[in-house]
Amino acid sequence: MNILIIGNGGREHAFAWKIKQSNRCNKLFVAPGNAGTAELATNVPIAVDNFEAIGKFCLEQNINLVVVGPEAPLVKGIRDYFEQDQNLKHILLIGPGKEGAQLEGSKDFSKQFMLRHGVPTAKAKTFLVHEVNAAFEYLDECAPPIVLKADGLAAGKGVIITPDINEAKSTIREMLVDKKFGEASTKVLIEEFLSGIELSVFVLTDGKDYVILPEAKDYKRIGEGDTGPNTGGMGAISPVPFADEAFMKKVEDQIIKPTITGLHKENIDYKGFIFIGLMNCSSDPYVIEYNARMGDPETQAVLPRIKNDFVDLLIDAAEGNLSGKRIESTVDYAATVVMVSGGYPGDYPKGKAISGLEAPNPALVFHAGSRQVNGHIVTDGGRVLAITGRGADMASAREKAYAGVAKLSWEGVYFRNDIGMDLMNLK
Ligand code: AMP
Ligand code: GLY
């Protein structure tokens, strides 16, 4: 099989690492990739949403399987593009079509979908620009904190949580009237606040059957103790100790099954990952959001715990053969620490030389925002590296991850020292 991975983050480096271990993988390409994927695969300088160039490349290189990493090309319809082209439609592709990707691309669509299929989620009401006054009246009846969500993709910035009703009103005005997030905020959801602990559950489906991947916990805030602004993710832990068998059974029965059946009933042919962001509210799971892809950095903690041949799983999903399949995972723990550029998630410099990459590392080193310049690897993004330690328990996984982090550095590097600490204290 010749395989093309679309994307350039740590998630795609982890995909490449796992796919490369399969003897079903012949040639492996990543478009556009990063300095880490370049060590395992051939990077191809094509943008993730340039479907024409991606299609042409697939034909030239006899690609048999395309694995789409990020949401943007899915929401823009990469699957639909392949299916509508006589020359491309035979190529297997992991990722839903435009309609299925609405589970992530439209919070209003996903909320209505959950309501139609009885999936537990926070109560919410959607408002359009001509309904600003109705939104204000509704807010007056809501108990703070208030959760506001822009309907569309807003680069992870579309959720605002505030204890202050007046601030909520001005944010609603900015979103709907001033179009703060452009098209993404033509609709806004006012949602009930759920309190509990979050976790991420990942499903790979062929549209009718599914396998459940190991769950993970993501650390979204920039600062230790979950403080400061939201980021793409500063670390991840898998497994999650409170996601015991009883809790995961509730997740499967109350959330995963109705989601997959719902997609099937609505004739949404979904072949790909569903990342379910959950809140554990007093031992009951509620969906915060669906994503139409794997998480980053969760993938870097989840894939190292999967024993299956990953290419087998991907082909089975793409061909509709997941019935009877299951994920074999290790009992080990994985802890992923993300090393970022100083200043992230605000402005940050790029092009800083990364030192320590040549030395042996006790952890897995996944690249996210890195680039090779004249034989040197330099920083090229906010999230630069994701370091995954594995161990028999969480403490030793963390120890390995941080020992790996200690070997690497660049000017202005920052990482959180407390990834997984909250879960250690829970035990
Ligand atoms: P999202 O962009 O949907 O992932 O939301 C970003 C973050 O906002 C989530 O990871 C949660 O921490 C938080 N969040 C979203 N919706 C809710 C809610 N209804 N109640 C509490 N927290 C929420
Ligand atoms: N780590 C969260 C995400 O990938 O959306």
Side-chain angles (χ1 to χ4, degrees):
M1 280 251 155
N2 293 333
I3 302 174
L4 171 65
I5 300 170
I6 308 280
N8 65 350
R11 166 183 52 211
E12 286 76 22
H13 188 184
F15 276 153
W17 171 83
K18 186 72 181 153
I19 285 173
K20 195 71 187 173
Q21 291 165 27
S22 166
N23 52 25
R24 294 186 76 177
C25 175
N26 183 20
K27 286 191 200 157
L28 180 62
F29 300 93
V30 188
N34 59 38
T37 61
E39 287 168 15
L40 296 169
T42 306
N43 283 351
V44 192
I46 301 177
V48 300
D49 62 351
N50 187 348
F51 300 163
E52 211 180 307
I54 292 171
K56 197 160 159 273
F57 179 82
C58 286
L59 294 177
E60 281 165 13
Q61 294 292 337
N62 285 317
I63 298 294
N64 310 99
L65 172 68
V66 178
V67 184
V68 185
E71 64 278 16
L74 295 169
V75 172
K76 199 177 161 192
I78 189 167
R79 168 176 287 279
D80 310 70
Y81 181 88
F82 270 63
E83 282 177 351
Q84 282 155 20
D85 187 310
Q86 289 308 314
N87 297 317
L88 299 175
K89 67 179 194 191
H90 68 282
I91 298 175
L92 300 176
L93 189 139
I94 289 292
K98 218 173 177 167
E99 213 186 352
Q102 287 298 294
L103 281 187
E104 172 162 9
S106 166
K107 296 206 189 284
D108 183 42
F109 175 92
S110 68
K111 186 62 70 175
Q112 302 311 325
F113 177 90
M114 288 185 252
L115 294 176
R116 281 197 294 279
H117 301 291
V119 175
T121 183
K123 285 194 199 70
K125 223 167 145 58
T126 303
F127 296 92
L128 297 164
V129 62
H130 64 274
E131 296 167 324
V132 173
N133 289 331
F136 288 179
E137 281 168 26
Y138 182 75
L139 273 178
D140 284 330
E141 289 159 23
C142 290
I146 305 291
V147 181
L148 303 175
K149 296 188 172 180
D151 175 55
L153 294 183
K157 300 196 171 78
V159 177
I160 283 114
I161 301 177
T162 170
D164 180 344
I165 301 268
N166 288 326
E167 192 189 326
K169 286 183 179 170
S170 59
T171 305
I172 288 215
R173 190 178 289 282
E174 278 168 25
M175 285 187 176
L176 287 176
V177 183
D178 308 336
K179 304 220 171 310
K180 182 172 181 181
F181 300 110
E183 277 298 296
S185 63
T186 51
K187 286 183 189 172
V188 170
L189 281 75
I190 301 177
E191 191 167 290
E192 170 198 17
F193 180 82
L194 298 172
S195 69
I197 315 182
E198 283 183 69
L199 81 156
S200 309
V201 170
F202 305 97
V203 175
L204 176 64
T205 181
D206 60 11
K208 44 183 206 328
D209 294 296
Y210 59 86
V211 289
I212 305 174
L213 281 71
E215 75 289 347
K217 184 174 190 291
D218 177 21
Y219 293 78
K220 288 197 166 75
R221 304 293 195 94
I222 188 74
E224 289 174 11
D226 292 329
T227 53
N230 256 329
T231 70
M234 295 297 293
I237 295 284
S238 179
V240 180
F242 64 77
D244 55 16
E245 214 170 297
F247 183 77
M248 289 307 286
K249 176 147 175 41
K250 286 186 189 171
V251 172
E252 181 165 13
D253 291 346
Q254 297 171 19
I255 293 168
I256 298 174
K257 283 183 180 162
T259 298
I260 305 295
T261 317
L263 288 168
H264 196 59
K265 271 193 199 149
E266 297 193 15
N267 285 320
I268 299 176
D269 182 24
Y270 198 113
K271 292 181 162 52
F273 294 102
I274 308 179
F275 156 175
I276 309 172
L278 292 176
M279 191 73 87
N280 174 353
C281 304
S282 318
S283 299
D284 283 320
Y286 286 81
V287 176
I288 293 176
E289 61 167 354
Y290 289 117
N291 294 302
R293 53 175 172 85
M294 283 295 289
D296 188 335
E298 291 97 323
T299 303
Q300 295 90 305
V302 165
L303 293 195
R305 297 192 52 240
I306 293 179
K307 288 197 218 160
N308 306 58
D309 181 313
F310 201 52
V311 176
D312 275 347
L313 283 174
L314 296 173
I315 293 172
D316 285 341
E319 288 184 336
N321 290 330
L322 277 181
S323 169
K325 303 287 159 51
R326 56 179 317 235
I327 299 282
E328 302 293 331
S329 52
T330 64
V331 292
D332 291 5
Y333 273 77
T336 301
V337 178
V338 177
M339 302 175 75
V340 306
S341 298
Y344 174 81
D347 292 339
Y348 51 82
K350 287 186 183 177
K352 301 290 178 193
I354 304 174
S355 66
L357 284 168
E358 322 70 35
N361 198 300
L364 295 165
V365 177
F366 295 114
H367 290 235
S370 70
R371 195 159 67 93
Q372 193 150 27
V373 180
N374 301 329
H376 285 95
I377 297 181
V378 301
T379 65
D380 194 38
R383 293 192 291 171
V384 177
L385 300 173
I387 314 302
T388 300
R390 290 179 288 185
D393 52 30
M394 204 189 308
S396 54
R398 289 186 77 247
E399 229 165 81
K400 275 262 180 64
Y402 282 107
V405 167
K407 299 214 167 234
L408 299 158
S409 76
W410 61 88
E411 188 192 324
V413 61
Y414 170 78
F415 55 88
R416 275 178 62 167
N417 275 296
D418 67 341
I419 301 303
M421 286 293 274
D422 54 335
L423 297 178
M424 302 254 292
N425 297 337
L426 265 188
K427 282 196 92 181

